[in-house]
Amino acid sequence: MAKFIVRRLLLMLLTMVIVSIAVFVITEAAPGNVARNVLGIHITPEQEASFLAQTGLDKPMPERYLSWLVGTDWRAASKVGMPVRQITTEDGFKEWWAVEEDGTLIQWKLEGEDLIARRRQPDGSVEETVDNGRWRVKDPTVEMERLEAYRAQLLENTQLTEVDRQAILQQLDRTLEILRGEDQTQADLLAALAEPEGALEEMIDPEASRKKDALQEAADDLFKKDELLQAIAVYQELTETPAGDLKTSDFQSMSRRVKKAADKLEGVNPTLANQLLEASESLKAEDIPAAKETLSSAAEALSDLTGAVGDFADTLQARDYQGAAAALRNLSDPAKTPLDTARLAIMPDQFKKIRKTLKDASPEMSEEVKQAYESLEAGNTEAARGAFARAADFLDETAQSIARSDAASQARVARTFWGVDTQNHAVRWEKGTGKIVWQLIPGSGWMAFTGGPAEYIPLQKGLLRGDPGVSLRTGRPVADLLFTRLRNSLVLAGIAFVIVMPLALVLGLIAGLNEGKPLDRALSIGGMMFSVTPEFATGIFLILIFAFWLKLVPGATVFGEKAPWERPDMLILPVLTLTLIELGYVLRITRASMVDVMKAPYIRTAFLKGLPYWRVVFKHAVRNALMAPITVIMLHVNWLLGGIVVVEVIFGYPGLGSYLLESALFKDFNAIEGGAIILVAVAVGTQLLADIVYTFLNPRIRYA
Amino acid sequence: MTVSEQTMPKAAPRPSRLRRLWEGISIIFASKVAVVGLIIVLFWVFAAIFAPLLTPYTPTEQDYVAQNEGPSGAHPLGTDDLGRDIWSRLIYGARVVLVILPIGEDFWIPGGTAIWGVILGLLVGSTLGLMGGYLGGWVDEVVMRLLDAMMAFPVILLYMIIIAAVGASATNVVLAIAIVGTPGIARLVRSLALDIRTRDYIRAAELRGENPWYIMFVEILPNARGPIMIDAMLRVGYAIFAMGTLGFLGLGLPPPSPDWGSMVAKGRQYILSGSPWAALWPSVAIASLVVGLNLFADGLREESLRYQ
């Protein structure tokens, strides 16, 4: 017996390993894009790359499977050179810290170009100190290659003025000279590099990155807030996103955005406005081909209408500031941009929206833009054109300072450092490469940072140590939610089970005893109808009858922070739905088994011996008749799980099933995999249990 | 073994084909349950085939002034949240289930999505089952372990992962139904093959030197058709069940195609605000079709057991 159980357990383990690999491969090999689900469909490729790096999704699949299984902290520890440890804070958050030799917990962050060490004090507070001493010069041979390649780029950089270029080249050549020297220690290198780097440092405008951000933000604002550009963007999304990736909520937002553009154009260009209105309706109905057709002609008219303003936004977003200045000059040239009534009606609004953000980049330019749209509103196109031209000049100036700062900061030798950041990654920071990364800042969304981490190892303990990772959808550990959801599902299934079993067995026995009579026909046909009707249909019928027409019980479950048993009234309908479905199945099996047993020779013998009817039924038939249903029910758990998922979705019940579904639709890998493992463990575990119970009940198998 | 004595008893002349066909059909009429089931199924098949003649609306036509309305003269079953006629969406939905399989935007092949799912499952499942049951040995061992692993997988999880992985479309729904149905079919066919391969005519074919594949598909499979067909009928029921569930979970055919499950999922949001029709009718439709199929299959099985 023991041997049998051990063998089954081993087989179960093997099944789970295969299943985990299968789930991993299927979900990961799938097309579609988790970054897009997390960040929305508007993300740029750079944002996507940053996201994938930070979540560790850019690594090859076998490596990720291993990390998921056994964790990454041991690998991170060897990179950082200190042990790393997960702690739970007083607020219940899980945080990763590196541990210094004296046991102090330490993390780092980057502020500007300074490395800041954050040491956690025993009372939970954090003390921050500048910790630039930990920077190391990156491998000189690698850096030499990079700088030489950069030198070639510098010669072709059209955004730089000749004077700046020469000054930077001079320092760059000195740096390369120093790097060529052999057998230098870190200290030697640092000392030798101080001089050329100091000179480069002086060329860097400390405000440059802020200006860049402001210009970027202005472009984003223009795209986000301008109704017409939004309508064009909707068309692009519609043509570029595969139809399957679009959800109903996406369509609704697209429809709203197009509608806004239509409203905007109502008095200006009625034909175009009507076209947009039509497209908005097709989007609402999720009719993609119709929407595409109407939008394609509308988009052309729209881009013609937005013209130079659209170019301005495009070039700004692409960080091509000279192009943006050219677009502004375009506006000042009557030959290129005729300021007709339609444009006059639209343009002032467009520029009004970005004046504030432009102020951060260049106050002078913002002032000119203001003058331009004010003149436009007053109908003075001459003055407006002049103001646009002057704004373009100021933009050129800003562009030069940004270009100089960028070029100088990239000409420095990069510094690097492996540490633990504040968002549970082990990261390699790099100073001086000008790399831009996007980071999720709680409360303000994704923001761009210059000089961010160049490499990430997301820290996790691995499934084998009870940590299925962090949910991509919520950003919280999967384990937190998974177990609450599992508990809720177990409550639901448990109650249904307790009700179904006795009821179904008794009804099944009754039907079996009355084989062929009307009572049996009614019970078995009724049972069949309930068991084959899809759960969602049964659920809808019950909601309609008990919640909608009779108004007896709530038709949905809303628990908030409460546990399901604190609101028993909300449990009634979900439990009833599950009960009806399982009832029919168990009933039919019990009936069939009872019919078989009642025909068995030993029952006939018992009757012929003259035993009373009920005595034969209870003492001889029932015990044997129940054997089959009890084991079959265990094997039925697989189906039951499916029923639970659907019931949870119908009633909005916060269980494991709905969690899995949401995660699957979202491609939240860690959550799907964690949930799938639990589900499979439950399914395989009950099958194992069924086997064992059956061997106990049936001695013939035990000794076979 | 005395083959010659046994195989050629002096039987009555074989009845004509037409007569045998009639005898087969008359089994159905012997069972009231089967007749009721057949009528329900035929109703839906009829509605699906003649859908364009039975409604003046197309399933995606919207009526902006009549949203979420109850049954009326213009819309016999009412309208959904976008003012689309529910009756026309129901019967066009039945089309996708029973009569056509939409593959591309304007391209479809005859045979419903549920039907093709079962056919594909039958193809793969019978092949695996025949190989396991007839060839035996290590082939059987490998096939059985594979089937066990597939069966250990919760069906709903398999659906979710497959569809989430490959995206929602009619072809992928067919694929998912087939993958999930395969192990059950394979087990059934295997057990039938295990029984049939001991018959004398299989021995005879082996002695003739027939190819094992010939024996599997020409000798064994046709002789196992009875139970397989009844099982397949039940499986069409499961497949419709599965299609509805997938649609309901948002994993079915992409909108705006009329899909019963997703109609329920969308209509559900409007029940508590007072418009139950959009959720009620598709639920009734799917429940009646599935129950009809099961009544039919059940009655048929009971009758055929009685004659054995």
Side-chain angles (χ1 to χ4, degrees):
Chain A
M1 193 69 201
K3 220 167 125 190
F4 168 76
I5 294 179
V6 168
R7 221 189 71 210
R8 289 304 311 248
L9 275 175
L10 282 179
L11 269 179
M12 175 176 163
L13 220 66
L14 186 70
T15 314
M16 305 259 304
V17 171
I18 295 175
V19 164
S20 72
I21 294 178
V23 172
F24 211 87
V25 172
I26 300 177
T27 44
E28 312 261 319
N33 189 322
V34 62
R36 217 170 242 178
N37 286 335
V38 178
L39 309 176
I41 46 180
H42 309 288
I43 51 164
T44 58
E46 296 86 45
Q47 284 172 316
E48 189 181 325
S50 285
F51 173 81
L52 291 180
Q54 284 169 47
T55 45
L57 292 175
D58 57 340
K59 309 250 170 30
M61 197 168 2
E63 187 184 331
R64 273 189 296 147
Y65 181 71
L66 269 184
S67 307
W68 177 71
L69 209 60
V70 296
T72 51
D73 48 346
W74 43 275
R75 201 151 51 90
S78 76
K79 295 265 191 196
V80 177
M82 294 180 199
V84 292
R85 190 197 298 160
Q86 190 183 41
I87 60 160
T88 310
T89 60
E90 288 74 25
D91 319 328
F93 287 97
K94 294 223 160 56
E95 286 178 358
W96 284 92
W97 295 74
V99 188
E100 279 186 310
E101 263 168 31
D102 59 357
T104 325
L105 296 174
I106 184 166
Q107 284 180 340
W108 290 270
K109 66 176 178 181
L110 208 57
E111 247 171 39
E113 297 207 324
D114 291 326
L115 190 64
I116 312 281
R118 311 173 73 238
R119 286 191 177 77
R120 193 180 153 93
Q121 308 302 317
D123 61 355
S125 64
V126 171
E127 194 176 85
E128 297 190 351
T129 44
V130 177
D131 201 10
N132 277 331
R134 288 193 201 252
W135 285 117
R136 290 283 165 271
V137 173
K138 234 174 133 184
D139 183 0
T141 46
V142 176
E143 266 310 274
M144 232 153 70
E145 254 171 50
R146 181 184 74 84
L147 287 176
E148 259 154 24
Y150 183 66
R151 194 174 189 283
Q153 268 180 39
L154 207 56
L155 292 173
E156 278 161 23
N157 188 337
T158 51
Q159 308 219 333
L160 274 179
T161 59
E162 200 47 44
V163 186
D164 290 340
R165 192 200 319 272
Q166 288 310 327
I168 293 170
L169 273 178
Q170 193 191 346
Q171 303 304 333
L172 183 58
D173 288 339
R174 281 173 69 190
T175 310
L176 281 171
E177 193 62 39
I178 296 168
L179 286 178
R180 272 190 205 108
E182 276 172 17
D183 294 330
Q184 303 177 85
T185 61
Q186 280 281 338
D188 291 345
L189 270 174
L190 287 172
L193 286 171
E195 200 188 329
E197 289 200 334
L200 285 170
E201 213 74 54
E202 273 182 14
M203 286 192 217
I204 297 175
D205 174 4
E207 296 286 289
S209 76
R210 200 177 54 87
K211 285 181 185 168
K212 235 171 14 181
D213 289 347
L215 287 175
Q216 185 74 28
E217 207 180 318
D220 288 350
D221 271 0
L222 203 53
F223 274 118
K224 254 186 263 165
K225 293 183 186 160
D226 187 64
E227 295 84 357
L228 305 186
L229 292 176
Q230 275 290 305
I232 299 177
V234 165
Y235 176 63
Q236 280 164 355
E237 273 163 36
L238 208 56
T239 43
E240 281 160 18
T241 335
D245 280 7
L246 292 169
K247 297 190 235 24
T248 301
S249 57
D250 293 332
F251 281 111
Q252 276 169 356
S253 92
M254 283 181 173
S255 163
R256 265 199 307 276
R257 282 151 65 198
V258 175
K259 175 101 182 355
K260 271 190 192 155
D263 291 347
K264 177 102 187 168
L265 284 174
E266 212 179 270
V268 184
N269 187 342
T271 11
L272 192 50
N274 276 338
Q275 231 174 9
L276 288 172
L277 214 55
E278 198 182 313
S280 159
E281 291 295 345
S282 326
L283 279 171
K284 202 168 163 195
E286 304 186 11
D287 185 353
I288 302 181
K292 255 188 207 166
E293 204 188 304
T294 5
L295 270 181
S296 77
S297 62
E300 216 165 287
L302 277 175
S303 55
D304 186 45
L305 193 59
T306 47
V309 182
D311 291 346
F312 178 64
D314 278 340
T315 43
L316 266 193
Q317 194 158 50
R319 293 170 190 273
D320 172 12
Y321 306 117
Q322 287 174 333
L328 278 182
R329 284 210 180 87
N330 212 336
L331 280 172
S332 71
D333 184 352
K336 286 184 181 148
T337 315
L339 291 171
D340 52 24
T341 36
R343 290 224 172 83
L344 277 179
I346 296 164
M347 260 171 43
D349 263 5
Q350 290 177 322
F351 281 104
K352 244 182 225 176
K353 281 166 191 148
I354 57 168
R355 191 184 70 86
K356 259 214 183 104
T357 29
L358 281 183
K359 205 167 180 177
D360 276 342
S362 156
E364 300 91 344
M365 175 179 165
S366 150
E367 197 49 43
E368 293 300 338
V369 167
K370 184 178 172 199
Q371 258 188 35
Y373 70 69
E374 278 173 358
S375 319
L376 279 178
E377 273 176 337
N380 187 350
T381 47
E382 264 326 293
R385 288 190 197 280
F388 276 132
R390 288 193 295 280
D393 291 342
F394 285 121
L395 182 57
D396 267 339
E397 212 169 275
T398 315
Q400 274 169 24
S401 131
I402 290 176
R404 183 170 52 230
S405 305
D406 275 359
S409 57
Q410 286 188 56
R412 294 173 304 175
V413 177
R415 302 292 150 80
T416 182
F417 168 64
W418 267 104
V420 176
D421 75 353
T422 53
Q423 295 178 344
N424 299 336
H425 307 109
V427 298
R428 186 165 61 76
W429 274 290
E430 219 164 68
K431 185 166 86 161
T433 46
K435 189 180 152 99
I436 292 158
V437 295
W438 294 80
Q439 272 184 317
L440 184 65
I441 305 300
S444 44
W446 282 76
M447 297 178 73
F449 290 90
T450 322
E455 214 178 310
Y456 294 87
I457 301 178
L459 288 166
Q460 66 187 72
K461 278 183 167 175
L463 186 77
L464 293 181
R465 282 187 284 162
D467 175 16
V470 171
S471 161
L472 299 174
R473 191 157 52 98
T474 59
R476 302 287 313 269
V478 169
D480 287 2
L481 211 53
L482 204 57
F483 288 108
T484 332
R485 293 300 194 96
L486 178 64
R487 183 202 65 193
N488 291 353
S489 285
L490 286 180
V491 168
L492 183 63
I495 298 177
F497 192 76
V498 168
I499 297 175
V500 169
M501 286 329 272
L503 200 63
L505 291 178
V506 169
L507 288 179
L509 290 178
I510 293 176
L513 284 176
N514 294 298
E515 196 206 346
K517 293 185 195 156
L519 181 64
D520 169 42
R521 311 274 306 161
L523 278 176
S524 31
I525 291 187
M528 186 271 283
M529 283 169 70
F530 282 129
S531 69
V532 300
T533 305
E535 295 88 354
F536 66 87
T538 315
I540 293 288
F541 295 145
L542 291 176
I543 292 178
L544 286 178
I545 296 172
F546 292 104
F548 182 69
W549 283 313
L550 300 180
K551 300 206 187 319
L552 288 177
V553 281
T557 51
V558 186
F559 295 123
E561 292 291 303
K562 285 184 180 158
W565 54 83
E566 289 174 68
R567 290 299 306 268
D569 58 327
M570 290 185 169
L571 274 172
I572 294 176
L573 283 187
V575 166
L576 193 58
T577 313
L578 266 185
T579 308
L580 281 182
I581 285 169
E582 287 309 300
L583 188 67
Y585 182 78
V586 182
L587 186 153
R588 275 156 66 90
I589 287 173
T590 319
R591 173 191 173 272
S593 162
M594 189 69 188
V595 168
D596 268 1
V597 168
M598 286 304 278
K599 284 181 185 154
Y602 66 88
I603 298 289
R604 205 183 320 148
T605 315
F607 279 128
L608 290 176
K609 269 191 343 196
L611 289 179
Y613 181 76
W614 289 112
R615 195 144 169 209
V616 176
V617 169
F618 281 114
K619 279 214 77 156
H620 299 249
V622 168
R623 275 181 54 175
N624 284 303
L626 288 186
M627 209 157 85
I630 286 178
T631 46
V632 169
I633 288 156
M634 294 278 193
L635 295 173
H636 190 57
V637 165
N638 238 337
W639 264 110
L640 186 70
L641 289 175
I644 291 178
V645 172
V646 177
V647 168
E648 282 172 5
V649 173
I650 302 174
F651 293 98
Y653 186 90
L656 183 63
S658 47
Y659 180 72
L660 257 176
L661 179 67
E662 289 156 20
S663 312
L665 290 177
F666 203 88
K667 281 187 176 294
D668 184 347
F669 300 121
N670 291 338
I672 307 176
E673 279 143 18
I677 285 293
I678 288 190
L679 219 55
V680 172
V682 170
V684 178
T686 44
Q687 274 166 36
L688 178 67
L689 207 64
D691 272 3
I692 294 171
V693 169
Y694 198 66
T695 19
F696 266 113
L697 287 179
N698 193 342
R700 275 174 300 181
I701 291 184
R702 209 181 321 161
Y703 300 113
Chain B
M1 195 136 161
T2 50
V3 176
S4 54
E5 285 166 34
Q6 228 177 359
T7 44
M8 282 295 162
K10 286 220 164 130
R14 246 182 144 186
S16 73
R17 256 171 197 281
L18 214 69
R19 178 146 191 94
R20 276 189 292 147
L21 191 68
W22 171 247
E23 268 170 14
I25 293 176
S26 65
I27 285 186
I28 300 171
F29 295 107
S31 158
K32 272 183 224 136
V33 176
V35 172
V36 173
L38 185 63
I39 290 176
I40 300 177
V41 175
L42 284 181
F43 166 78
W44 281 115
V45 173
F46 179 80
I49 293 176
F50 298 106
L53 305 177
L54 296 174
T55 170
Y57 307 100
T58 69
T60 49
E61 196 171 311
Q62 305 177 21
D63 185 351
Y64 300 121
V65 291
Q67 294 175 342
N68 270 330
E69 282 192 350
S72 66
H75 301 282
L77 299 182
T79 56
D80 68 3
D81 59 314
L82 290 170
R84 297 178 291 200
D85 183 59
I86 295 179
W87 166 244
S88 98
R89 282 181 77 70
L90 275 192
I91 53 181
Y92 276 95
R95 261 188 158 202
V96 180
V97 175
L98 295 170
V99 183
I100 63 166
L101 169 62
I103 292 183
E105 221 158 83
D106 296 308
F107 179 63
W108 53 269
I109 54 175
T113 308
I115 316 271
W116 274 108
V118 175
I119 293 177
L120 199 60
L122 273 174
L123 279 178
V124 181
S126 338
T127 310
L128 285 177
L130 284 171
M131 282 167 62
Y134 178 70
L135 298 178
W138 66 268
V139 179
D140 189 32
E141 198 58 36
V142 170
V143 169
M144 286 308 285
R145 289 290 82 77
L146 187 74
L147 296 181
D148 278 348
M150 278 172 85
M151 284 200 146
F153 227 90
V155 173
I156 194 78
L157 185 66
L158 207 55
Y159 280 143
M160 285 197 288
I161 294 177
I162 294 173
I163 300 285
V166 293
S169 80
T171 4
N172 293 338
V173 170
V174 167
L175 217 65
I177 291 174
I179 291 177
V180 169
T182 297
I185 297 172
R187 272 174 174 251
L188 174 76
V189 174
R190 175 177 176 271
S191 68
L192 291 168
L194 276 179
D195 175 33
I196 293 176
R197 81 165 176 190
T198 60
R199 304 284 168 88
D200 293 332
Y201 53 83
I202 303 297
R203 196 74 358 101
E206 279 169 0
L207 288 176
R208 282 205 308 275
E210 297 288 3
N211 181 310
W213 293 96
Y214 174 87
I215 295 178
M216 280 193 260
F217 285 93
V218 182
E219 299 283 348
I220 299 183
L221 197 57
N223 283 297
R225 67 176 184 274
I228 294 180
M229 269 163 67
I230 289 189
D231 179 69
M233 204 133 39
L234 285 174
R235 275 185 195 285
V236 172
Y238 292 151
I240 296 171
F241 187 122
M243 257 187 90
T245 304
L246 286 173
F248 180 77
L249 296 178
L251 305 168
L253 309 187
S257 37
D259 176 87
W260 289 352
S262 43
M263 283 168 77
V264 177
K266 217 163 174 214
R268 181 176 67 98
Q269 304 161 7
Y270 300 95
I271 290 181
L272 296 178
S273 60
S275 341
W277 307 108
L280 174 65
W281 294 122
S283 303
V284 170
I286 197 160
S288 66
L289 180 54
V290 178
V291 167
L293 268 170
N294 275 276
L295 286 175
F296 183 53
D298 253 27
L300 218 57
R301 186 170 44 190
E302 243 168 58
E303 284 307 310
S304 58
L305 279 181
R306 188 175 301 176
Y307 286 120
Q308 264 176 11

